[in-house]
Amino acid sequence: MTVVHIPNSTILSSYARHFMTEQQEKEAKGARGFGSDGSSKTAKSTVASVEDSSSVKAGQDITIPQLEDYCDDFTADIKNKLATLTLSHETYSEALENREVYLKHPPVFSHKLEIDAPITNQKNSGRCWIFAGLNMLRQHMMKEYNLDELELSEPFVFFYDKLEKSNWFLENILRTLDEDLDGRLVQLLLAGPVQDGGQWDMFVALVEKYGVVPKEAYPETVHTADSEQMDWLITTKLREYAKEIRTEHANGKSIDELRMMKDRMLREIHKVISVSLGQPPKTIDWSFYSKDKKFHEFRNVTPLEFYKNHVKQDCTKFVSLINDPRNEYMKKYTVDYWGNVCGAGSVHFINLSVQRLKDYAIRVLESGHPVWFGCDIDKFFSHSHGMMDTEVIDYKSAFDFGFGMTKAERLQYGDSTITHAMVLTGVHIEDGKTIRWRIENSWGASVGNKGYLTMTDRWFDEFVYQIVIEKSELSKEVLDVLGQEAVVLPPWDLMLGVFGK
């Protein structure tokens, strides 16, 4: 007989306690099981017995008496009928939206950036990290040039990201020629060679190499606004190229011969992207009216000159700070195989407590600058009111349960990861306590408060994982961490991988 020990207590996070009744908190500290008649009951013992190892391998089926007990239990509570009538016609976020939360947190902030830039729209693509990066950069330009509006070209950065990711993928295929094709690593590489998502360091690598242009110099096309078809075509060809490279390696071709093959492959990928998006400009003319109605014009400017001379922000001076409670704080981390531009290096992060992330973000906002950040937007978010809060969707009222995992546990068990990048543009502080944050999103003006969102401080605690801060803002203690040798995490550690929502 195999004995399985079940813990008789569990530590509940404040996040979990937002949702759980007193009775549920008590039950969460014990174990639940089924009686011999199939009925559900709270286990009195913290030790569960299993007849033998073969029964564990076969699995335990759901019995008909057990299912009947579930059904009787469900129909006995009249509230379940009301919940069914409602939720069969509406989404959770619509039907369970907690009015008290968004009334308590109006879109008013004690500290807000001077400039309200027009809201951008990434449409049906995963380019949030590019939008957030360019939205952060334009703030300084709008102030310097006295502009009512400005949008930098996301498609321009997107074009080169697709090309660079294709090269990065093929180089990783060359790097793993002797790895098992069916192994976890190669299959992970093959799973998403050119997904739309990215990271701050990947954004920096692109703008430092290729520059930036205004949106009117390189606007959207069908395949930037909805990237699915182009992504499918490039991905299919890259997998075909991977098969060809590995086959020729097995046939004895040298690495130089394989790289000659890679050049032909990249030429074809470049053609796909150029046909789908149009070729990016080599030089641009930028003309505009400032708010005082004066005309300005800059002619024959290269994208790199535009970045250096007009954007005037050195992205290499910024660093990613993360809150990953699974891993040790005050350490530098990187993720093996993640990146986009060969020669630019891989992504790097400094791991700090969530309070230190908030302290740095507040300092930057109070100085009048925006903050790029990454979070898990899929959790407890009201689209209609643009509200991010751990109680804004009232699951407890509909389902009578809460959520018991900590931030670290959600990462460990795959329940949470960074899914979206946006820009912090304000914060509300009362009596020295942070209450809520203002966010510039990139989903168009129809979401939230004309495109802006509100995030409560407790949501920040649970679902914000990354901010980007200029190195000059960091304490010497944190800055010294950059000199450490990075702890290398495996490429399937998606919390620190690429994201796009």
Side-chain angles (χ1 to χ4, degrees):
M1 181 177 69
T2 303
V3 178
V4 181
H5 293 279
I6 302 174
N8 60 6
S9 66
T10 186
I11 297 174
L12 300 174
S13 66
S14 59
Y15 158 78
R17 289 194 292 270
H18 289 325
F19 297 88
M20 302 184 82
T21 64
E22 291 183 8
Q23 179 61 29
Q24 287 168 331
E25 287 191 38
K26 292 177 182 177
E27 291 178 354
K29 295 177 181 178
R32 292 188 61 86
F34 292 100
S36 58
D37 61 352
S39 62
S40 176
K41 67 176 185 179
T42 301
K44 292 185 171 125
S45 170
T46 60
V47 179
S49 298
V50 181
E51 289 299 325
D52 53 44
S53 59
S54 62
S55 67
V56 175
K57 292 178 181 177
Q60 185 184 53
D61 66 337
I62 299 174
T63 67
I64 297 303
Q66 185 179 337
L67 181 58
E68 289 175 348
D69 185 67
Y70 293 166
C71 294
D72 291 343
D73 186 52
F74 181 81
T75 56
D77 189 347
I78 190 63
K79 188 184 74 172
N80 290 332
K81 184 174 183 179
L82 176 61
T84 301
L85 290 172
T86 302
L87 292 176
S88 60
H89 296 287
E90 294 188 64
T91 66
Y92 296 158
S93 60
E94 293 169 337
L96 305 179
E97 190 176 63
N98 189 338
R99 185 170 181 264
E100 293 180 2
V101 170
Y102 61 78
L103 290 179
K104 184 179 178 181
H105 295 284
V108 179
F109 304 86
S110 58
H111 301 80
K112 186 174 79 69
L113 297 189
E114 179 182 342
I115 295 174
D116 272 346
I119 288 296
T120 55
N121 194 341
Q122 66 189 77
K123 300 186 178 178
N124 191 22
S125 72
R127 299 174 290 162
C128 62
W129 57 289
I130 297 174
F131 273 75
L134 295 177
N135 287 344
M136 188 185 85
L137 295 182
R138 69 175 173 168
Q139 280 273 342
H140 175 77
M141 292 184 67
M142 292 180 70
K143 188 172 184 178
E144 177 170 343
Y145 290 103
N146 194 27
L147 298 174
D148 274 322
E149 57 183 40
L150 172 69
E151 185 170 358
L152 301 174
S153 176
E154 304 88 4
F156 180 85
V157 180
F158 190 60
F159 179 102
Y160 290 112
D161 181 57
K162 291 299 179 186
L163 185 61
E164 291 286 357
K165 278 179 180 168
S166 297
N167 181 60
W168 183 274
F169 168 77
L170 293 174
E171 283 296 319
N172 279 335
I173 293 300
L174 291 172
R175 181 181 169 186
T176 56
L177 287 171
D178 296 320
E179 295 280 344
D180 184 3
L181 175 60
D182 294 326
R184 187 178 189 181
L185 175 57
V186 176
Q187 286 301 309
L188 179 68
L189 296 176
L190 293 170
V194 289
Q195 75 285 338
D196 287 357
Q199 260 288 354
W200 170 257
D201 286 339
M202 297 164 69
F203 173 78
V204 174
L206 292 167
V207 299
E208 286 290 319
K209 183 173 182 178
Y210 295 106
V212 175
V213 299
K215 188 70 168 268
E216 58 266 28
Y218 193 68
E220 301 280 352
T221 72
V222 168
H223 297 288
T224 58
D226 187 345
S227 56
E228 183 178 7
Q229 287 188 339
M230 183 179 72
D231 285 351
W232 166 82
L233 181 57
I234 296 174
T235 296
T236 296
K237 290 303 295 181
L238 287 174
R239 289 169 178 159
E240 182 180 300
Y241 299 152
K243 179 258 180 188
E244 186 179 345
I245 288 172
R246 288 177 66 92
T247 299
E248 292 305 316
H249 169 67
N251 291 338
K253 283 201 172 180
S254 68
I255 191 69
D256 290 336
E257 291 173 311
L258 295 176
R259 281 216 162 88
M260 289 179 64
M261 292 169 54
K262 190 194 82 166
D263 181 69
R264 181 258 303 169
M265 296 166 181
L266 284 175
R267 189 180 302 273
E268 292 179 353
I269 295 298
H270 179 269
K271 182 176 182 179
V272 171
I273 305 171
S274 295
V275 167
S276 303
L277 309 187
Q279 292 203 55
K282 298 292 192 300
T283 61
I284 63 162
D285 296 332
W286 184 39
S287 57
F288 58 92
Y289 290 101
S290 54
K291 285 193 287 188
D292 56 8
K293 308 302 181 184
K294 291 183 179 179
F295 176 75
H296 304 265
E297 185 176 35
F298 300 92
R299 299 184 61 82
N300 199 33
V301 180
T302 69
L304 273 173
E305 288 172 343
F306 187 83
Y307 171 59
K308 301 292 185 183
N309 300 331
H310 296 287
V311 176
K312 294 182 182 178
Q313 290 194 75
D314 185 352
C315 289
T316 64
K317 292 183 178 180
F318 290 78
V319 63
S320 287
L321 308 179
I322 60 168
N323 174 236
D324 178 4
R326 302 168 306 166
N327 291 306
E328 187 178 353
Y329 292 152
M330 294 298 291
K331 294 286 185 183
K332 185 169 76 169
Y333 293 87
T334 187
V335 184
D336 204 9
Y337 289 91
W338 283 116
N340 60 348
V341 178
C342 290
S346 55
V347 296
H348 287 90
F349 316 87
I350 297 176
N351 195 20
L352 301 175
S353 69
V354 71
Q355 186 58 52
R356 295 192 77 165
L357 262 63
K358 290 193 285 189
D359 290 343
Y360 278 123
I362 291 170
R363 182 188 304 177
V364 172
L365 289 170
E366 288 180 338
S367 70
H369 301 288
V371 178
W372 187 105
F373 81 106
C375 65
D376 188 356
I377 192 65
D378 294 327
K379 300 295 191 295
F380 307 101
F381 172 57
S382 165
H383 280 257
S384 59
H385 287 87
M387 173 65 64
M388 301 148 73
D389 178 75
T390 55
E391 292 184 7
V392 74
I393 310 300
D394 189 1
Y395 292 100
K396 177 181 171 183
S397 293
F399 300 108
D400 296 318
F401 59 59
F403 301 87
M405 286 194 287
T406 64
K407 191 174 190 178
E409 290 165 345
R410 289 194 296 275
L411 291 169
Q412 290 166 335
Y413 284 85
D415 186 62
S416 187
T417 186
I418 306 178
T419 58
H420 192 45
M422 297 180 284
V423 179
L424 295 172
T425 61
V427 63
H428 185 66
I429 301 173
E430 294 179 0
D431 300 323
K433 182 179 179 181
T434 308
I435 306 298
R436 57 183 173 267
W437 303 75
R438 186 174 190 256
I439 297 168
E440 178 185 346
N441 196 12
S442 55
W443 289 349
S446 63
V447 178
N449 181 27
K450 298 180 181 179
Y452 285 87
L453 311 180
T454 298
M455 172 178 64
T456 62
D457 196 56
R458 63 187 178 187
W459 197 96
F460 192 123
D461 288 338
E462 300 293 342
F463 299 112
V464 170
Y465 293 102
Q466 179 182 6
I467 66 171
V468 169
I469 297 293
E470 197 164 0
K471 295 175 186 176
S472 60
E473 298 286 346
L474 300 178
S475 67
K476 183 180 184 303
E477 177 191 23
V478 174
L479 199 58
D480 286 345
V481 177
L482 284 175
Q484 295 179 4
E485 184 175 348
V487 177
V488 181
L489 299 175
W492 41 84
D493 191 322
L494 296 182
M495 185 273 176
L496 298 182
V498 298
F499 55 90
K501 200 76 172 178

